[in-house]
PDB file of all heavy atoms in Angstrom:
ATOM      1  N   ALA U1592     -13.317   3.050  -1.550  1.00 90.00           N
ATOM      2  CA  ALA U1592     -14.007   2.258  -0.390  1.00 90.00           C
ATOM      3  C   ALA U1592     -13.118   1.094  -0.120  1.00 90.00           C
ATOM      4  O   ALA U1592     -12.938   0.330  -1.025  1.00 90.00           O
ATOM      5  CB  ALA U1592     -15.409   1.954  -0.800  1.00 90.00           C
ATOM      6  N   GLY U1593     -12.895   0.868   1.117  1.00 92.00           N
ATOM      7  CA  GLY U1593     -12.078  -0.208   1.532  1.00 92.00           C
ATOM      8  C   GLY U1593     -10.602  -0.023   1.334  1.00 92.00           C
ATOM      9  O   GLY U1593      -9.761  -0.976   1.779  1.00 92.00           O
ATOM     10  N   GLY U1594     -10.124   0.996   0.704  1.00 95.00           N
ATOM     11  CA  GLY U1594      -8.683   0.997   0.331  1.00 95.00           C
ATOM     12  C   GLY U1594      -7.967   1.771   1.645  1.00 95.00           C
ATOM     13  O   GLY U1594      -8.463   2.281   2.356  1.00 95.00           O
ATOM     14  N   THR U1595      -6.538   1.396   1.554  1.00 97.00           N
ATOM     15  CA  THR U1595      -5.763   1.963   2.598  1.00 97.00           C
ATOM     16  C   THR U1595      -4.706   2.736   1.883  1.00 97.00           C
ATOM     17  O   THR U1595      -3.711   2.273   1.349  1.00 97.00           O
ATOM     18  CB  THR U1595      -5.135   0.759   3.343  1.00 97.00           C
ATOM     19  OG1 THR U1595      -6.152   0.062   3.983  1.00 97.00           O
ATOM     20  CG2 THR U1595      -4.147   1.283   4.539  1.00 97.00           C
ATOM     21  N   PRO U1596      -4.686   4.136   2.143  1.00 97.00           N
ATOM     22  CA  PRO U1596      -3.688   4.846   1.628  1.00 97.00           C
ATOM     23  C   PRO U1596      -2.342   4.768   2.362  1.00 97.00           C
ATOM     24  O   PRO U1596      -2.364   4.558   3.516  1.00 97.00           O
ATOM     25  CB  PRO U1596      -4.108   6.383   1.878  1.00 97.00           C
ATOM     26  CG  PRO U1596      -5.569   6.302   2.070  1.00 97.00           C
ATOM     27  CD  PRO U1596      -5.816   4.938   2.698  1.00 97.00           C
ATOM     28  N   ILE U1597      -1.097   4.484   1.640  1.00 98.00           N
ATOM     29  CA  ILE U1597      -0.022   4.300   2.335  1.00 98.00           C
ATOM     30  C   ILE U1597       1.077   5.453   1.987  1.00 98.00           C
ATOM     31  O   ILE U1597       2.240   5.498   2.547  1.00 98.00           O
ATOM     32  CB  ILE U1597       0.594   2.994   1.982  1.00 98.00           C
ATOM     33  CG1 ILE U1597       0.976   2.865   0.442  1.00 98.00           C
ATOM     34  CG2 ILE U1597      -0.262   1.822   2.293  1.00 98.00           C
ATOM     35  CD1 ILE U1597       1.699   1.653   0.052  1.00 98.00           C
ATOM     36  N   LEU U1598       0.767   6.273   1.107  1.00 98.00           N
ATOM     37  CA  LEU U1598       1.619   7.413   0.685  1.00 98.00           C
ATOM     38  C   LEU U1598       0.797   8.504   0.351  1.00 98.00           C
ATOM     39  O   LEU U1598      -0.035   8.424  -0.486  1.00 98.00           O
ATOM     40  CB  LEU U1598       2.611   7.031  -0.346  1.00 98.00           C
ATOM     41  CG  LEU U1598       3.572   8.110  -0.854  1.00 98.00           C
ATOM     42  CD1 LEU U1598       4.579   8.504   0.032  1.00 98.00           C
ATOM     43  CD2 LEU U1598       4.252   7.578  -2.152  1.00 98.00           C
ATOM     44  N   ALA U1599       1.023   9.759   0.794  1.00 98.00           N
ATOM     45  CA  ALA U1599       0.197  10.969   0.407  1.00 98.00           C
ATOM     46  C   ALA U1599       0.985  12.171  -0.010  1.00 98.00           C
ATOM     47  O   ALA U1599       2.001  12.474   0.726  1.00 98.00           O
ATOM     48  CB  ALA U1599      -0.661  11.349   1.611  1.00 98.00           C
ATOM     49  N   LEU U1600       0.614  12.711  -1.104  1.00 98.00           N
ATOM     50  CA  LEU U1600       1.346  13.898  -1.674  1.00 98.00           C
ATOM     51  C   LEU U1600       0.202  14.991  -1.633  1.00 98.00           C
ATOM     52  O   LEU U1600      -0.787  14.910  -2.185  1.00 98.00           O
ATOM     53  CB  LEU U1600       1.814  13.724  -3.055  1.00 98.00           C
ATOM     54  CG  LEU U1600       2.173  14.925  -3.935  1.00 98.00           C
ATOM     55  CD1 LEU U1600       3.310  15.741  -3.206  1.00 98.00           C
ATOM     56  CD2 LEU U1600       2.578  14.576  -5.346  1.00 98.00           C
ATOM     57  N   ASP U1601       0.464  15.950  -0.808  1.00 97.00           N
ATOM     58  CA  ASP U1601      -0.373  17.250  -0.462  1.00 97.00           C
ATOM     59  C   ASP U1601      -0.109  18.059  -1.762  1.00 97.00           C
ATOM     60  O   ASP U1601       1.008  18.700  -1.834  1.00 97.00           O
ATOM     61  CB  ASP U1601      -0.176  17.842   0.822  1.00 97.00           C
ATOM     62  CG  ASP U1601      -1.168  18.881   1.129  1.00 97.00           C
ATOM     63  OD1 ASP U1601      -1.969  19.321   0.159  1.00 97.00           O
ATOM     64  OD2 ASP U1601      -1.143  19.292   2.279  1.00 97.00           O
ATOM     65  N   MET U1602      -1.148  18.428  -2.678  1.00 96.00           N
ATOM     66  CA  MET U1602      -1.017  19.353  -3.645  1.00 96.00           C
ATOM     67  C   MET U1602      -1.820  20.653  -3.430  1.00 96.00           C
ATOM     68  O   MET U1602      -2.122  21.348  -4.402  1.00 96.00           O
ATOM     69  CB  MET U1602      -1.328  18.691  -4.908  1.00 96.00           C
ATOM     70  CG  MET U1602      -0.311  17.664  -5.563  1.00 96.00           C
ATOM     71  SD  MET U1602       1.344  18.389  -5.612  1.00 96.00           S
ATOM     72  CE  MET U1602       1.170  19.759  -6.715  1.00 96.00           C
ATOM     73  N   TYR U1603      -2.203  20.916  -2.274  1.00 95.00           N
ATOM     74  CA  TYR U1603      -2.796  22.206  -1.872  1.00 95.00           C
ATOM     75  C   TYR U1603      -1.610  23.368  -1.892  1.00 95.00           C
ATOM     76  O   TYR U1603      -0.510  22.918  -1.583  1.00 95.00           O
ATOM     77  CB  TYR U1603      -3.510  22.266  -0.651  1.00 95.00           C
ATOM     78  CG  TYR U1603      -4.843  21.670  -0.646  1.00 95.00           C
ATOM     79  CD1 TYR U1603      -5.030  20.237  -0.661  1.00 95.00           C
ATOM     80  CD2 TYR U1603      -5.966  22.456  -0.726  1.00 95.00           C
ATOM     81  CE1 TYR U1603      -6.219  19.691  -0.715  1.00 95.00           C
ATOM     82  CE2 TYR U1603      -7.200  21.864  -0.752  1.00 95.00           C
ATOM     83  CZ  TYR U1603      -7.435  20.530  -0.859  1.00 95.00           C
ATOM     84  OH  TYR U1603      -8.665  19.882  -0.744  1.00 95.00           O
ATOM     85  N   GLU U1604      -1.902  24.542  -2.289  1.00 95.00           N
ATOM     86  CA  GLU U1604      -0.772  25.434  -2.423  1.00 95.00           C
ATOM     87  C   GLU U1604      -0.028  25.694  -1.042  1.00 95.00           C
ATOM     88  O   GLU U1604       1.172  26.066  -1.115  1.00 95.00           O
ATOM     89  CB  GLU U1604      -1.289  26.711  -3.095  1.00 95.00           C
ATOM     90  CG  GLU U1604      -1.648  26.706  -4.484  1.00 95.00           C
ATOM     91  CD  GLU U1604      -1.839  27.941  -5.138  1.00 95.00           C
ATOM     92  OE1 GLU U1604      -2.136  29.002  -4.535  1.00 95.00           O
ATOM     93  OE2 GLU U1604      -1.789  28.082  -6.343  1.00 95.00           O
ATOM     94  N   HIS U1605      -0.706  25.443  -0.033  1.00 95.00           N
ATOM     95  CA  HIS U1605      -0.164  25.795   1.375  1.00 95.00           C
ATOM     96  C   HIS U1605       1.106  24.730   1.400  1.00 95.00           C
ATOM     97  O   HIS U1605       1.947  25.009   2.354  1.00 95.00           O
ATOM     98  CB  HIS U1605      -1.061  25.574   2.358  1.00 95.00           C
ATOM     99  CG  HIS U1605      -1.727  24.239   2.627  1.00 95.00           C
ATOM    100  ND1 HIS U1605      -3.147  24.055   2.555  1.00 95.00           N
ATOM    101  CD2 HIS U1605      -1.214  22.979   2.868  1.00 95.00           C
ATOM    102  CE1 HIS U1605      -3.376  22.863   2.623  1.00 95.00           C
ATOM    103  NE2 HIS U1605      -2.282  22.206   2.944  1.00 95.00           N
ATOM    104  N   ALA U1606       1.114  23.623   0.740  1.00 96.00           N
ATOM    105  CA  ALA U1606       2.163  22.638   0.846  1.00 96.00           C
ATOM    106  C   ALA U1606       3.349  23.109   0.272  1.00 96.00           C
ATOM    107  O   ALA U1606       4.504  22.458   0.584  1.00 96.00           O
ATOM    108  CB  ALA U1606       1.758  21.310   0.378  1.00 96.00           C
ATOM    109  N   TYR U1607       3.405  23.981  -0.615  1.00 96.00           N
ATOM    110  CA  TYR U1607       4.694  24.392  -1.479  1.00 96.00           C
ATOM    111  C   TYR U1607       4.775  25.842  -1.710  1.00 96.00           C
ATOM    112  O   TYR U1607       6.037  26.286  -2.112  1.00 96.00           O
ATOM    113  CB  TYR U1607       4.613  23.608  -2.764  1.00 96.00           C
ATOM    114  CG  TYR U1607       3.545  23.764  -3.690  1.00 96.00           C
ATOM    115  CD1 TYR U1607       3.537  24.909  -4.488  1.00 96.00           C
ATOM    116  CD2 TYR U1607       2.371  23.011  -3.670  1.00 96.00           C
ATOM    117  CE1 TYR U1607       2.588  25.004  -5.457  1.00 96.00           C
ATOM    118  CE2 TYR U1607       1.297  23.190  -4.581  1.00 96.00           C
ATOM    119  CZ  TYR U1607       1.501  24.301  -5.547  1.00 96.00           C
ATOM    120  OH  TYR U1607       0.303  24.425  -6.262  1.00 96.00           O
ATOM    121  N   HIS U1608       3.954  26.722  -1.598  1.00 95.00           N
ATOM    122  CA  HIS U1608       3.987  28.104  -2.183  1.00 95.00           C
ATOM    123  C   HIS U1608       5.100  28.797  -1.420  1.00 95.00           C
ATOM    124  O   HIS U1608       5.649  29.617  -2.109  1.00 95.00           O
ATOM    125  CB  HIS U1608       2.688  28.762  -1.990  1.00 95.00           C
ATOM    126  CG  HIS U1608       2.588  29.903  -2.929  1.00 95.00           C
ATOM    127  ND1 HIS U1608       2.896  31.223  -2.537  1.00 95.00           N
ATOM    128  CD2 HIS U1608       2.107  30.049  -4.297  1.00 95.00           C
ATOM    129  CE1 HIS U1608       2.604  31.992  -3.509  1.00 95.00           C
ATOM    130  NE2 HIS U1608       2.212  31.343  -4.618  1.00 95.00           N
ATOM    131  N   LEU U1609       5.253  28.718  -0.154  1.00 96.00           N
ATOM    132  CA  LEU U1609       6.326  29.454   0.551  1.00 96.00           C
ATOM    133  C   LEU U1609       7.602  29.179   0.013  1.00 96.00           C
ATOM    134  O   LEU U1609       8.510  30.187  -0.003  1.00 96.00           O
ATOM    135  CB  LEU U1609       6.252  29.150   2.090  1.00 96.00           C
ATOM    136  CG  LEU U1609       5.300  29.875   2.880  1.00 96.00           C
ATOM    137  CD1 LEU U1609       5.337  29.267   4.361  1.00 96.00           C
ATOM    138  CD2 LEU U1609       5.448  31.328   3.048  1.00 96.00           C
ATOM    139  N   ASP U1610       7.863  27.973  -0.454  1.00 96.00           N
ATOM    140  CA  ASP U1610       9.255  27.682  -0.975  1.00 96.00           C
ATOM    141  C   ASP U1610       9.316  27.903  -2.446  1.00 96.00           C
ATOM    142  O   ASP U1610      10.367  28.309  -3.067  1.00 96.00           O
ATOM    143  CB  ASP U1610       9.628  26.251  -0.687  1.00 96.00           C
ATOM    144  CG  ASP U1610      10.093  26.014   0.825  1.00 96.00           C
ATOM    145  OD1 ASP U1610      10.172  27.154   1.468  1.00 96.00           O
ATOM    146  OD2 ASP U1610      10.246  24.825   1.109  1.00 96.00           O
TER     147      ASP U1610
END
Side-chain angles (χ1 to χ4, degrees):
T1595 302
I1597 63 171
L1598 175 68
L1600 168 58
D1601 188 345
M1602 286 307 301
Y1603 282 79
E1604 286 192 346
H1605 62 242
Y1607 60 88
H1608 200 270
L1609 277 176
D1610 282 356

